[in-house]
Amino acid sequence: MQVTITNLSLAYGGFAAVKGLDLTIGDGESIVLLGQSGCGKTSTMRCIAGLEEPTGGRISIGDTVVFDHETGRSVPSFRRNVGMVFQSYAVWPHKTVVENVMFPLRMKKVRRTAAREKAMEVLTLVGLDHLAERGASQLSGGQMQRVALARSMAMEPSVLLLDEPLSNLDARLREDLRVELRHIQQERGLTSMYVTHDQQEALALADRIAIMQGGRITQLGTPEEVYASPASASIAKFMGVTNVFAVGEASGNEVHLADHALSLRTAVAAPDGAASVAVRPEDVVVRTEGSDGFAGTVEVCVYQGSSVRYQVALDGGPTVDAVCPAGPGALARGERASVEIAPESLLVLPDEVTDTPAQDEVAA
Amino acid sequence: MTTVQTRPAAPQEAPLPAPSGRRRRRRPKGLGSLPLLFVVSFLILVPAGFVLLAAFSVDIPRPGSINFDLTLQHLAVFIEPGVLRATVNSLIIGVSATLLALLIGGFLAFATARTNIPMRGFVFLIGLMPLFLPSYVGALAWSQLGSPVAGLLNIGMRDLGIDFTVNIYSMFGVVLVMGMFYAPYAFLLMHSSMSLMNPDLEDAAGVHGGSTWQMLRSVTFPLAMPAILGSALLVFTHIFENFPVSQVLATPGQIDTLPTFIYRLMNASPSRGNEAAVMAVVLVIVVLLVTLGQRRILARRSYTTVSGKGLKARRISLGRWRWPLFAIALVYLLLAIVLPLAALILTAVRTSPYMQSFSDLAVPGAIDFGSFGRVLQSDLFLDSAGNSVIVAVVSAAAGTLLAFLVGYTVYRTKAKARGALEGVSMVPLAIPAIVLGMGLLWTWLVMPVPLYGTLAVLMIAFVAVQMPQGLRGIASSIQSTERDLEDNAVLHGARRSRAVLSITVPLMRVGIASTFLMLLMLSMRELTVPLFLYTSDTHILSITIFDQFENGGALQQAAAMSVIYCLIMFVLSYLPRRLGSGGMNP
């Protein structure tokens, strides 16, 4: 069901965790709230679940207003029909797997046998039917995570909230479950909101990504949009762009770096007030000395299997990160190199987003 | 006894740099675990052995004549008419007082940990306060309040024209007093369990469709169940073996419990020590079974799940029930602390022990606060207080040292005897104080060293009885001190003993100090164990108060002394809480 959040704010004591946030999640859409810890993303989610009382704004799920500060209306958590997967899983240790999954159904007064049948069905979907009678405290982290997911799906929630559900798992399992989660979400057409600080996870799971900084959404767009054109230097850094340099002066298609005697060519004329230039390590080309580009020395060289990661100190310039395909012609530490940066891969950005984007224009 | 062999410890400061890859990391071997095991066993197992021996031998152990002529004739005590009744009484009191303690403790724990009851800090203190009042002082105070004829409550009600008599010398009275004074144990255990609960587990119930009541029923209470059961069994064993409260309140009402029955057998003339020992064995078996049950339950189901995020246990809004529930907490405060203390103070300042009506107090000269001064200057008080302090300080210091040695050996070394050492140290938990008191009496009567009748025997007894509490205090501190810090000092060239003294001990100073203070307090309040061991030259404060009340003659001094004693206990209990980082505060 569609979820509409209007001008939501939440403050603890004097600290404003969420500041006038607007967001609409379309029916069947998956939104990922991406941001560093403390940016207010979990607080936003807990407001939707009814676990926090917002200090202002309005939230509606489908046609039902579940919270409205104006009228003082606040539907208690257990009547909102919202599913939630907690970071700590919150699987009840004193119940078996199937009892955990049956809980929301029993709360809806579904008869025991019917509830059990339905629970087994959902457990089969997440691949845990063979562990149904196991005590929940005997499960591994990945299994608990699946139980938590099954428990929330069994209630057929209007919206499914996931609070960093994969962050306590090891890297391999995390990638497998990410694919599985996306598959289930799309197949079932679940309206969902996912909170994470991991940009890879966000790119994989989102229909749209909402970047949160300091209690507001600073960029909202499809994963491709956010990846290709971050709205600010801080967002770019967060999205894994390690080469961000302060701009001193810009003239036409040329920007001069503030801290180095170096200028770069851009594809489009730099706008006024440009503060930083950014380039992805993948877009930096490193060749043996004598080719086009800036001259420099390889300082660090890390072999990563399919690729090699370099840090090259440019002569009279900054140190640049580069990720190049592995293969013949790889450079060793101390070797001289030429570094080329294509003008079209350069992003010219403000440091921070000052005004929040108009939500509806970028709606999916 | 025990079948533990210890390999002769390898020389500790081996000059060879051990190159063996098989044992890369050598643990210290232990500070001579065998002598330690011998000392602890001698302190604890020998007295227990004497009780067992007395139960099945022809005669009780006497100086110069331990006799091993075994017999089963003392089992005949079982068919004595009083025995069955005493057992049933003990069970009834144990079960009902435990339920009462759980009800009070559970209510206060839930209210302070999980609701918005007014003045939560104060309600928390209400739950804790009765700990400062030893249960027998509570019982003595209640005997002043609720004796059917002269009880202050009854006088008050007669004054007001209410036709109702409280009789504290009854089953009801014993259960009420025991339940109230053991409630703090249940309170503390349940409070920590309820406030450590991962709030996500409860939030999950809310999100998935459970109302607040359904959440409490299906998540919160089941999760707290191990703590509830565990504290139930702990409280039950304490109440079941409690001697002084029964002696003060049940005996006048002609109600026998197992401990008072044993006491009477011991004090009969001629003394019936063998039969007492038989009854003691029965008591031990019951307590042992319950203790084992408690350990199993607590070991099997530990749900205390602490998540990485900051814990913020959800508080339930009580709405219009806030103040009524607060009033219930106040009633408990009134019954457990305010009325007993008021009764003691009133008894202490009243010049005449006889009183018909509260209006008698208005007569000039009826009240005299001088009694406190007289008591403070009396030889009896000064002697007992001096003895108490000497005994408590020495036994707490020795107990802490012994607990540290045992704790270090058990948790930091690979000594073979460490399992046995821990096991033996915990034995006093399963042996009722009255039984251990008998055993210690016989042990030190028989020993060819003239300790009986000196303060030393009381010190030895306290060290033995408080071994479990001491070891627990030290153990938690040792386990939270990183072992690597000490190993590092050894790597940098310190001898192990030097490393312990200059690294581990300073790091554990708070834990060691609070263990010392806890033992000090336990020694000051212990009554049952010294009951068989004191002589007229070695009175200690708890015994003196008990004696003076029992013998009736010196009610006023006894009450005044109790009030002073409570003050001392309060100061002593306050200190470790100041030291121990105040972690128990809500």
Side-chain angles (χ1 to χ4, degrees):
Chain A
M1 255 180 260
Q2 173 168 304
V3 179
T4 314
I5 303 166
T6 323
N7 199 23
L8 179 77
S9 29
L10 173 67
Y12 303 105
F15 173 72
V18 182
K19 303 169 190 162
L21 182 136
D22 292 298
L23 181 67
T24 302
I25 311 175
D27 191 19
E29 188 188 24
S30 163
I31 287 262
V32 174
L33 289 187
L34 175 63
Q36 270 145 340
S37 57
C39 72
K41 54 194 194 305
T42 297
S43 302
T44 306
M45 171 173 281
R46 291 174 65 87
C47 286
I48 301 175
L51 298 173
E52 302 283 352
E53 186 90 344
T55 40
R58 203 177 126 97
I59 301 171
S60 54
I61 299 175
D63 299 328
T64 324
V65 176
V66 294
F67 177 82
D68 193 343
H69 185 67
E70 299 277 286
T71 61
R73 178 182 166 84
S74 179
V75 177
S77 195
F78 66 94
R79 296 226 177 85
R80 291 192 184 189
N81 197 32
V82 166
M84 184 158 173
V85 178
F86 291 78
Q87 186 176 11
S88 64
Y89 317 130
V91 170
W92 298 303
H94 59 295
K95 294 176 186 282
T96 64
V97 168
V98 71
E99 280 169 359
N100 263 281
V101 180
M102 278 164 65
F103 181 87
L105 298 166
R106 296 289 293 154
M107 290 300 123
K108 284 182 176 172
K109 307 268 185 279
V110 178
R111 297 172 90 87
R112 187 169 286 279
T113 47
R116 204 184 159 79
E117 221 167 89
K118 169 86 182 166
M120 287 309 293
E121 196 181 295
V122 185
L123 279 173
T124 312
L125 185 75
V126 298
L128 278 188
D129 43 329
H130 60 292
L131 295 180
E133 303 304 331
R134 191 71 75 82
S137 52
Q138 298 160 287
L139 301 179
S140 70
Q143 288 166 339
M144 283 209 210
Q145 202 274 334
R146 285 161 201 259
V147 175
L149 181 66
R151 180 176 61 188
S152 289
M153 284 188 351
M155 70 190 288
E156 297 185 345
S158 306
V159 54
L160 178 63
L161 307 175
L162 301 109
D163 183 8
E164 309 214 17
L166 304 181
S167 65
N168 288 337
L169 304 175
D170 61 58
R172 271 293 296 282
L173 191 57
R174 194 150 58 200
E175 280 182 32
D176 292 348
L177 279 174
R178 196 187 287 163
V179 174
E180 204 173 315
L181 218 53
R182 180 64 167 158
H183 176 73
I184 290 174
Q185 185 266 326
Q186 286 183 324
E187 191 181 72
R188 296 231 150 185
L190 289 170
T191 307
S192 64
M193 177 186 254
Y194 191 105
V195 157
T196 183
H197 60 262
D198 180 327
Q199 47 124 345
Q200 290 298 335
E201 220 162 275
L203 293 173
L205 287 167
D207 289 323
R208 279 189 301 158
I209 293 178
I211 307 268
M212 270 194 88
Q213 290 176 309
R216 31 177 144 246
I217 294 179
T218 49
Q219 188 173 10
L220 179 67
T222 64
E224 293 80 2
E225 284 166 359
V226 175
Y227 184 80
S229 42
S232 71
S234 64
I235 296 177
K237 278 186 199 158
F238 195 66
M239 294 302 293
V241 183
T242 45
N243 301 312
V244 178
F245 308 112
V247 167
E249 209 179 301
S251 52
N253 280 12
E254 189 127 320
V255 291
H256 304 277
L257 300 194
D259 305 328
H260 305 279
L262 200 75
S263 45
L264 296 165
R265 288 184 58 74
T266 58
V268 290
D272 286 344
S276 298
V277 283
V279 62
R280 289 181 186 290
E282 301 91 287
D283 294 336
V284 178
V285 181
V286 180
R287 300 199 196 86
T288 45
E289 196 177 22
S291 321
D292 291 342
F294 306 101
T297 309
V298 176
E299 286 197 322
V300 183
C301 154
V302 180
Y303 179 62
Q304 303 186 135
S306 61
S307 60
V308 184
R309 190 168 190 121
Y310 295 110
Q311 272 183 3
V312 183
L314 303 184
D315 299 343
T319 301
V320 179
D321 266 356
V323 175
C324 302
L331 296 169
R333 181 177 129 77
E335 276 190 74
R336 297 284 296 164
S338 288
V339 172
E340 194 185 7
I341 299 169
E344 52 274 13
S345 64
L346 261 191
L347 305 164
V348 186
L349 303 168
D351 280 338
E352 300 289 346
V353 176
T354 42
D355 54 333
T356 48
Q359 308 292 326
D360 294 329
E361 288 171 27
V362 254
Chain B
M1 201 176 61
T2 41
T3 55
V4 178
Q5 329 100 326
T6 311
R7 218 175 0 169
Q12 270 206 1
E13 317 299 339
L16 290 171
S20 77
R22 199 162 51 87
R23 276 194 300 155
R24 281 186 305 125
R25 182 174 175 161
R26 283 185 52 213
R27 290 277 154 73
K29 272 288 170 199
L31 316 165
S33 59
L34 263 196
L36 205 54
L37 182 62
F38 178 77
V39 169
V40 175
S41 305
F42 190 81
L43 281 175
I44 295 167
L45 293 186
V46 171
F50 268 108
V51 176
L52 200 60
L53 178 66
F56 297 104
S57 68
V58 175
D59 225 335
I60 59 167
R62 284 213 177 81
S65 78
I66 315 183
N67 101 35
F68 288 97
D69 296 339
L70 297 185
T71 172
L72 291 177
Q73 70 184 43
H74 309 305
L75 297 185
V77 74
F78 286 132
I79 54 169
E80 252 180 62
V83 172
L84 185 64
R85 208 169 327 123
T87 311
V88 170
N89 285 344
S90 274
L91 284 174
I92 294 176
I93 291 171
V95 171
S96 7
T98 301
L99 287 178
L100 181 63
L102 282 184
L103 203 68
I104 298 170
F107 162 70
L108 290 172
F110 184 76
T112 50
R114 307 305 308 277
T115 72
N116 63 345
I117 196 161
M119 293 188 252
R120 257 183 326 112
F122 177 62
V123 177
F124 185 85
L125 261 180
I126 293 180
L128 217 54
M129 251 191 262
L131 276 182
F132 308 145
L133 214 60
S135 62
Y136 57 90
V137 174
L140 293 169
W142 265 97
S143 74
Q144 298 302 304
L145 282 168
S147 90
V149 185
L152 294 169
L153 285 181
N154 292 321
I155 296 174
M157 281 194 283
R158 270 204 304 276
D159 282 354
L160 296 173
I162 302 169
D163 187 21
F164 180 80
T165 309
V166 178
N167 181 6
I168 204 74
Y169 298 135
S170 63
M171 247 355 183
F172 161 79
V174 180
V175 167
L176 177 75
V177 171
M178 293 248 213
M180 284 193 311
F181 285 95
Y182 283 102
Y185 297 87
F187 168 72
L188 278 177
L189 275 173
M190 288 195 242
H191 185 275
S192 66
S193 150
M194 288 193 182
S195 49
L196 280 180
M197 206 171 279
N198 180 351
D200 282 356
L201 290 170
E202 292 179 327
D203 284 350
V207 169
H208 292 96
S211 63
T212 302
W213 169 239
Q214 282 162 327
M215 172 193 92
L216 289 176
R217 218 189 46 190
S218 63
V219 176
T220 311
F221 291 137
L223 283 174
M225 209 53 205
I228 296 174
L229 266 179
S231 43
L233 294 179
L234 175 87
V235 169
F236 177 82
T237 53
H238 275 87
I239 292 175
F240 193 71
E241 66 169 80
N242 181 297
F243 164 73
V245 176
S246 308
Q247 179 66 11
V248 173
L249 299 180
T251 308
Q254 258 89 60
I255 301 166
D256 253 329
T257 66
L258 278 180
T260 61
F261 196 83
I262 292 173
Y263 182 73
R264 259 191 318 126
L265 287 175
M266 285 291 283
N267 281 3
S269 57
S271 169
R272 297 172 64 193
N274 294 109
E275 280 108 325
V278 171
M279 299 303 300
V281 172
V282 174
L283 197 58
V284 171
I285 290 172
V286 174
V287 172
L288 195 67
L289 288 178
V290 178
T291 309
L292 286 180
Q294 180 205 358
R295 296 191 89 182
R296 283 193 62 175
I297 287 174
L298 286 186
R300 199 179 49 213
R301 318 175 76 193
S302 167
Y303 294 147
T304 322
T305 46
V306 182
S307 76
K309 280 187 179 173
L311 284 171
K312 199 173 55 169
R314 193 152 281 273
R315 291 199 199 289
I316 291 159
S317 178
L318 294 173
R320 60 203 165 92
W321 289 99
R322 279 183 84 207
W323 291 99
L325 290 183
F326 181 69
I328 295 180
L330 284 187
V331 169
Y332 173 61
L333 177 71
L334 186 74
L335 292 181
I337 300 287
V338 177
L339 282 182
L341 280 182
L344 286 177
I345 293 173
L346 188 59
T347 310
V349 300
R350 213 159 91 188
T351 44
S352 155
Y354 306 104
M355 189 167 113
Q356 288 298 319
S357 150
F358 274 92
S359 55
D360 292 2
L361 294 176
V363 176
I367 285 180
D368 174 18
F369 282 92
S371 55
F372 285 107
R374 282 195 297 279
V375 161
L376 277 173
Q377 286 164 9
S378 69
D379 286 344
L380 184 63
F381 173 79
L382 290 176
D383 284 351
S384 325
N387 285 344
S388 269
V389 169
I390 294 170
V391 170
V393 169
V394 173
S395 63
T400 308
L401 178 66
L402 191 61
F404 180 81
L405 293 177
V406 171
Y408 189 89
T409 309
V410 170
Y411 295 103
R412 280 290 167 86
T413 70
K414 288 208 170 281
K416 283 236 165 136
R418 63 191 208 280
L421 207 47
E422 190 182 14
V424 174
S425 303
M426 288 298 170
V427 163
L429 281 187
I431 303 186
I434 193 156
V435 179
L436 213 51
M438 287 162 61
L440 284 161
L441 168 71
W442 287 326
T443 308
W444 295 101
L445 275 177
V446 165
M447 286 299 144
V449 278
L451 282 183
Y452 180 77
T454 66
L455 289 178
V457 77
L458 292 178
M459 297 170 188
I460 292 172
F462 286 168
V463 170
V465 173
Q466 288 152 13
M467 195 61 205
Q469 287 83 3
L471 182 58
R472 274 187 188 162
I474 290 290
S476 66
S477 166
I478 261 189
Q479 284 169 318
S480 60
T481 310
E482 238 182 293
R483 124 185 290 142
D484 291 351
L485 296 172
E486 182 189 305
D487 286 350
N488 218 340
V490 174
L491 286 177
H492 286 93
R495 282 168 178 264
R496 178 62 65 180
S497 52
R498 172 85 203 250
V500 171
L501 283 179
S502 61
I503 306 290
T504 309
V505 170
L507 283 173
M508 286 173 59
R509 62 186 182 280
V510 173
I512 290 174
S514 56
T515 304
F516 172 79
L517 285 170
M518 179 180 69
L519 295 187
L520 195 66
M521 189 175 77
L522 289 176
S523 300
M524 286 296 284
R525 64 189 291 167
E526 181 64 59
L527 169 70
T528 313
V529 169
L531 206 53
F532 292 125
L533 292 173
Y534 81 93
T535 61
S536 52
D537 294 334
T538 58
H539 262 109
I540 57 174
L541 215 44
S542 54
I543 294 282
T544 304
I545 293 173
F546 188 73
D547 250 16
Q548 299 231 318
F549 264 110
E550 278 289 271
N551 302 333
L555 205 57
Q556 196 185 15
Q557 286 95 312
M561 231 182 263
S562 307
V563 174
I564 298 166
Y565 182 54
C566 286
L567 267 176
I568 299 174
M569 295 308 294
F570 181 80
V571 172
L572 280 182
S573 355
Y574 184 66
L575 288 178
R577 275 172 51 76
R578 280 307 300 264
L579 260 174
S581 77
M584 289 194 305
N585 282 318

